[in-house]
Amino acid sequence: MIKWLLAMGKKFIRVQEDEVFEIKTKEKRIYIESDRNCFYLDEISSVWYRRGGLKFKNFHYDNHSVNIHMQEHQHWLHDYVIKTLESKKHINKQSNSAVNKLFVLEQAKKTGLDVPEYYLAENTCDVVLDKTIIKPLTGNITIDAYQNYGESIMYTHVIDRQEEDSFFITFFQEKIEKDFEIRSFYLNGRFFSTAIISQNDERTKTDFRKYNLEKPNRNVRYNLPIEIEKKTRQLMELLDINCGSIDFIKSEEKFYFLEVNTVGQFLGVSSLCNYGAEKAIAEYL
């Protein structure tokens, strides 16, 4: 994406994940400075929030009462800078980058999108074996060094047996027999969709992220039905999100909405189907 910005002659600042800024003033203007970058707040015309977030230097004071007051004072300064940047032309926001899966599914149903039946439970008493899947309520999380097994990614899993003991509240969902999966990169109303032919491989049948590197899934360009795109746009507007990766399952005549990831990967979709999503992002900014 940076190569496209350079080719288009657009000036930009790339914020590193470990970068810490100090808020200053110059000539009655707010000035942001770190060890790598510096800019006036009113110079910024557009913002692409990818991951992480702006980090600010926080000053502490010896007097307890003064410190409490100054922490609040600094909080509102930090908040102002972020809100001001988010009021510019933007792709995604730091303030709503983490979406709540349950809330998203509820809103998806309100727009008329088909959503696989789901529920929360602390046991498997109501589970229909081999027809129910389990997945985390959070994003695509990885548990580091869990019981010395190295990195353990939490994949979607089909429930094939009952558990005797109860456990923490868990998300269960109806297993949908799919024709194929669809991943759509969404950018300000536009869809860049790819059909992922994952159902013919036992390794990727339930979760295509269990990549078969020896025999990769076929990925082809795909156009979602106009009505599905219309309902999905409505959903993204309800969530106040203008960019993200959206997953669907195509099953016979239905398109089941699964989830939206506001900072989802798009390079695979872009390169495999020659969409040039990076160029579209650069053009929008």
Side-chain angles (χ1 to χ4, degrees):
M1 214 281 289
I2 285 178
K3 289 180 180 178
W4 277 112
L5 289 175
L6 292 171
M8 295 174 185
K10 294 188 175 184
K11 295 181 179 180
F12 65 90
I13 295 170
R14 181 183 185 274
V15 176
Q16 306 284 354
E17 62 181 351
D18 61 344
E19 202 163 350
V20 179
F21 287 89
E22 185 175 345
I23 301 175
K24 299 182 177 182
T25 59
K26 284 187 179 182
E27 302 170 349
K28 298 182 179 179
R29 300 164 67 193
I30 292 182
Y31 185 77
I32 313 296
E33 184 178 53
S34 73
D35 291 338
R36 296 190 183 98
N37 292 304
C38 57
F39 58 90
Y40 286 102
L41 189 59
D42 56 20
E43 286 180 322
I44 304 301
S45 59
S46 61
V47 179
W48 181 28
Y49 171 80
R50 181 64 180 136
R51 282 192 174 97
L54 282 181
K55 298 175 183 177
F56 299 101
K57 185 176 182 180
N58 203 36
F59 293 93
H60 294 271
Y61 299 84
D62 293 335
N63 185 283
H64 179 67
S65 298
V66 171
N67 191 56
I68 290 176
H69 169 73
M70 291 306 297
Q71 292 307 310
E72 182 176 0
H73 189 82
Q74 292 177 91
H75 164 77
W76 290 117
L77 271 177
H78 302 165
D79 183 70
Y80 174 73
V81 170
I82 291 172
K83 280 186 167 58
T84 299
L85 290 173
E86 292 182 348
S87 69
K88 313 275 186 178
K89 188 177 186 181
H90 65 273
I91 297 177
N92 287 339
K93 300 177 181 179
Q94 179 176 333
S95 61
N96 66 354
S97 60
V99 294
N100 186 303
K101 185 183 187 73
L102 295 174
F103 181 75
V104 170
L105 292 177
E106 287 178 356
Q107 298 306 305
K109 289 195 289 186
K110 288 180 180 179
T111 66
L113 286 167
D114 287 306
V115 175
E117 292 297 321
Y118 64 91
Y119 62 93
L120 300 177
E122 299 174 40
N123 54 59
T124 57
C125 294
D126 297 320
V127 168
V128 180
L129 298 182
D130 299 318
K131 293 185 178 180
T132 306
I133 62 169
I134 184 174
K135 57 171 61 175
L137 275 176
T138 55
N140 295 328
I141 63 174
T142 300
I143 301 177
D144 293 329
Y146 176 67
Q147 294 183 351
N148 299 319
Y149 285 115
E151 291 191 340
S152 177
I153 299 174
M154 299 188 71
Y155 294 105
T156 300
H157 180 71
V158 179
I159 306 299
D160 56 7
R161 60 184 174 85
Q162 302 283 351
E163 295 288 340
E164 294 182 2
D165 300 325
S166 296
F167 38 76
F168 192 80
I169 296 175
T170 300
F171 180 84
F172 294 91
Q173 192 170 47
E174 171 192 8
K175 177 189 174 186
I176 302 296
E177 297 299 334
K178 63 187 176 184
D179 298 334
F180 50 84
E181 297 178 62
I182 301 164
R183 169 154 288 188
S184 291
F185 175 63
Y186 177 89
L187 176 62
N188 203 43
R190 295 177 62 188
F191 290 85
F192 302 83
S193 299
T194 299
I196 304 170
I197 315 302
S198 58
Q199 73 282 0
N200 297 327
D201 189 330
E202 286 300 320
R203 180 181 176 88
T204 61
K205 191 172 184 178
T206 301
D207 192 328
F208 79 86
R209 293 174 302 148
K210 291 185 176 181
Y211 305 114
N212 185 339
L213 300 180
E214 294 181 1
K215 188 179 180 181
N217 291 156
R218 186 182 176 206
N219 294 262
V220 295
R221 281 194 178 209
Y222 191 81
N223 292 323
L224 285 166
I226 294 175
E227 187 62 23
I228 299 298
E229 289 191 351
K230 179 181 178 181
K231 291 176 180 178
T232 307
R233 284 192 192 94
Q234 183 181 350
L235 171 64
M236 297 298 272
E237 289 172 2
L238 284 172
L239 298 174
D240 189 27
I241 298 170
N242 68 349
C243 183
S245 294
I246 307 170
D247 291 336
F248 297 91
I249 283 179
K250 168 71 165 57
S251 180
E252 297 182 348
E253 301 303 315
K254 287 190 174 183
F255 292 82
Y256 288 92
F257 171 86
L258 298 182
E259 62 186 358
V260 56
N261 187 340
T262 58
V263 291
Q265 296 293 348
F266 64 88
L267 289 176
V269 172
S270 179
S271 59
L272 289 172
C273 295
N274 197 29
Y275 272 128
E278 305 93 322
K279 182 181 179 182
I281 292 171
E283 287 174 337
Y284 180 76
L285 294 173

